[in-house]
Amino acid sequence: APRCLMMSLTPSRGCLLDLPWEDILVPHILCHLPLQQLLSLQRVSKSFQSLIQLYLANMRCFDSSQIGPAIPRAAFVNLLKDNEVLQQLALQNCSDWLTDKELLPVIGQNHHLHQIQLKGCAQLSRHALVAISLSCPNLRRLSLAHCEWVDSLSLRSLADHCKALEAVDLTACRQLKDEAICYLVQKCSRLKSLSLAVNANVGDVAVEEIAKCCPELEHLDLTGCLRVKNDSIRVLAEYCPKLRSLKVKHCHNVAESSLSILRSRGVELDVEPPLQRALVLLQDVVGFAPFINLQI
């Protein structure tokens, strides 16, 4: 398909390049083509190479997964070297090579970013998060899942400068403790989605502060937060009327006595009611679900 596309767009087959580049080709045609095919088009001719470079410089969204299973370091640097208008940046499949050296120049020249995905980018440092906080005041969504380099100081910088945040993923950011989370939610009260999953340092203090500071909260992931207990879940139910989903699987100190309040409001929970859970276990053991009249 890419080969046919390149053949059909060559100057000898038509006058595509005669159309206005910035007004027609870039915003209305090239934006509908996969990034990998656009990069292949650069090999057609020097004119196409110039056109694609113009497109890359005006690209609003960059997702590394569109290029293939892995993107070379040099290719990433070259693709975004002239872009100053990015709004969304997603960097999957880059954990083997992405460091501050490659990321910081991109962040530093793109002040309109409102969505950044850095899940699993383990070779970055706290300086990357500080750079994001200083360069992206309108940031609304940020994923730092499995970025264990995130610490309380860099998170504090994020909270101080990115107060429009609506969704933050801090899954497995194991350096963070209650104090850091409290500071974040005190400054970023517009949060609608927050993940603190797989963090044994997060407990009731953080959850209660989240509840009291974030009335717009809709989604909270506390999976594996072993220090979270019933009391903070009750506070969450009291202060977060818009809560739609709560994940507390493997939170062994959270019981149905607190979850039932949220369950009665239709909040989606990732743990089943005790009786239903017992029936599932029984089915696993005996191979069938008994017919039981549950009416009282």
Side-chain angles (χ1 to χ4, degrees):
R3 183 179 179 183
C4 294
L5 178 63
M6 288 187 289
M7 291 178 63
S8 65
L9 294 180
T10 53
S12 61
R13 296 294 182 97
C15 301
L16 180 70
L17 293 176
D18 293 335
L19 294 172
W21 287 14
E22 295 189 32
D23 295 331
I24 301 296
L25 293 183
V26 170
H28 299 295
I29 295 181
L30 297 187
C31 63
H32 296 292
L33 299 178
L35 183 57
Q36 192 169 21
Q37 291 185 1
L38 290 174
L39 299 180
S40 298
L41 280 175
Q42 292 185 101
R43 299 195 294 268
V44 173
S45 67
K46 289 184 177 180
S47 294
F48 269 109
Q49 183 178 18
S50 298
L51 173 61
I52 301 307
Q53 289 298 318
L54 177 65
Y55 172 81
L56 293 173
N58 289 276
M59 188 166 47
R60 299 293 197 273
C61 176
F62 179 82
D63 186 343
S64 62
S65 65
Q66 294 182 3
I67 297 178
I71 173 175
R73 183 198 311 255
F76 170 78
V77 173
N78 184 62
L79 288 175
L80 297 180
K81 62 183 176 61
D82 298 321
N83 193 304
E84 298 181 358
V85 295
L86 273 180
Q87 296 179 2
Q88 299 179 36
L89 178 64
L91 297 176
Q92 300 91 355
N93 308 319
C94 302
S95 58
D96 292 338
W97 57 265
L98 184 67
T99 67
D100 293 354
K101 181 180 179 181
E102 292 79 34
L103 181 63
L104 263 58
V106 176
I107 297 297
Q109 67 192 31
N110 282 282
H111 305 295
H112 303 289
L113 280 164
H114 59 75
Q115 184 171 327
I116 299 177
Q117 162 69 266
L118 296 176
K119 180 180 179 181
C121 293
Q123 296 194 52
L124 298 174
S125 77
R126 60 184 301 272
H127 299 295
L129 186 53
V130 173
I132 289 171
S133 66
L134 296 177
S135 298
C136 309
N138 299 315
L139 192 65
R140 295 200 299 271
R141 304 183 66 87
L142 175 63
S143 175
L144 298 169
H146 302 282
C147 293
E148 297 195 20
W149 44 266
V150 177
D151 61 10
S152 59
L153 288 177
S154 57
L155 193 69
R156 179 178 290 260
S157 178
L158 179 74
D160 284 337
H161 297 95
C162 299
K163 298 179 181 179
L165 279 167
E166 296 179 358
V168 179
D169 189 344
L170 298 172
T171 298
C173 292
R174 303 177 196 273
Q175 290 194 57
L176 300 178
K177 299 180 180 181
D178 283 348
E179 294 79 9
I181 303 303
C182 289
Y183 192 88
L184 173 69
V185 298
Q186 287 166 4
K187 297 287 186 175
C188 302
S189 59
R190 301 181 190 177
L191 279 175
K192 296 181 179 179
S193 177
L194 178 62
S195 175
L196 303 173
V198 199
N199 193 331
N201 293 318
V202 171
D204 285 343
V205 173
V207 176
E208 290 183 13
E209 197 67 16
I210 292 168
K212 294 175 182 179
C213 294
C214 303
E216 302 296 317
L217 191 68
E218 297 178 1
H219 307 283
L220 180 62
D221 190 346
L222 300 173
T223 303
C225 294
L226 303 179
R227 293 175 57 228
V228 174
K229 301 176 183 176
N230 280 325
D231 288 345
S232 62
I233 300 301
R234 292 192 183 97
V235 174
L236 194 69
E238 179 181 357
Y239 283 88
C240 296
K242 297 184 179 181
L243 192 66
R244 293 166 51 194
S245 71
L246 173 66
K247 295 183 178 180
V248 288
K249 188 173 287 186
H250 307 304
C251 295
H252 304 303
N253 294 313
V254 175
E256 184 63 22
S257 58
S258 61
L259 294 178
S260 60
I261 305 171
L262 294 168
R263 203 184 298 278
S264 66
R265 282 173 26 195
V267 175
E268 180 183 345
L269 303 173
D270 64 341
V271 292
E272 297 171 332
L275 180 57
Q276 185 174 346
R277 196 156 57 238
L279 291 175
V280 171
L281 292 175
L282 182 60
Q283 183 178 6
D284 291 339
V285 172
V286 302
F288 69 95
F291 293 97
I292 300 177
N293 188 350
L294 299 181
Q295 293 183 347
I296 298 176

